Amino acid sequence: MEKIHGQCLCGAIRYTSAAAPLMTAICHCKHCQRQTGTAFSIVVAVPKGSLVFETGQPATYQDVGDSGLPVFRRFCANCGSPIVTEVDAMPTMDFLKAGTLDDTSWLKPQMNIWCTSAQPWVKMDESIPCIAGNPPA
Ligand SMILES: [Zn+2]
Ligand SMILES: [Zn+2]
């Protein structure tokens, strides 16, 4: 797998991850809808510790997950792009927002998650699982 590179809209933050992605999911949770301002977010999980910020440092909004544990939503304070989410309930991974990747040609979402809050007009890919909430650990 090619090394992961990406950046926010304004370019103040650039990141890289040397590790191969663990999974790709489309998240329809209400929090992702609000944070991204759209119907869902596409997340690429990378192993915790593999993500390096080459330029800039993101700001953090500390959210609370369904588990009751903190969720750290990191974003560019200059342009507002969501960059990565760290979920205390899933401590082995970081969840990159795939829209910030330089190269998305390899992206292939493996599952839809939080399908219970998906917007009704979103057409699901029926060839991949549609999970009501968080993916099973
Ligand atoms: Zn930015
Ligand atoms: Zn979500």
Side-chain angles (χ1 to χ4, degrees):
M1 176 60 62
E2 259 294 276
K3 210 174 173 188
I4 289 175
H5 296 281
Q7 68 168 56
C8 64
L9 178 60
C10 76
I13 296 173
R14 278 199 61 80
Y15 64 80
T16 183
S17 169
L22 301 170
M23 66 140 175
T24 303
I26 300 169
C27 184
H28 300 267
C29 85
K30 192 67 193 164
H31 291 221
C32 281
Q33 289 181 8
R34 285 196 199 279
Q35 191 197 16
T36 61
T38 181
F40 51 77
S41 73
I42 308 156
V43 293
V44 172
V46 293
K48 176 73 79 188
S50 66
L51 188 67
V52 175
F53 289 103
E54 297 176 303
T55 310
Q57 282 293 326
T60 299
Y61 171 64
Q62 186 173 335
D63 199 358
V64 179
D66 197 51
S67 61
L69 293 170
V71 172
F72 300 93
R73 292 180 176 271
R74 307 206 192 276
F75 61 96
C76 175
N78 188 49
C79 69
S81 301
I83 307 280
V84 64
T85 304
E86 293 170 41
V87 181
D88 272 12
M90 287 179 272
T92 60
M93 303 179 239
D94 289 333
F95 297 92
L96 283 169
K97 298 290 189 195
T100 63
L101 291 166
D102 290 346
D103 175 17
T104 55
S105 62
W106 56 270
L107 263 189
K108 200 168 184 342
Q110 293 160 308
M111 64 189 88
N112 281 282
I113 60 174
W114 289 98
C115 292
T116 47
S117 49
Q119 295 193 19
W121 51 268
V122 172
K123 210 158 160 38
M124 297 289 177
D125 179 349
E126 284 168 11
S127 68
I128 58 174
C130 195
I131 298 164
N134 274 327

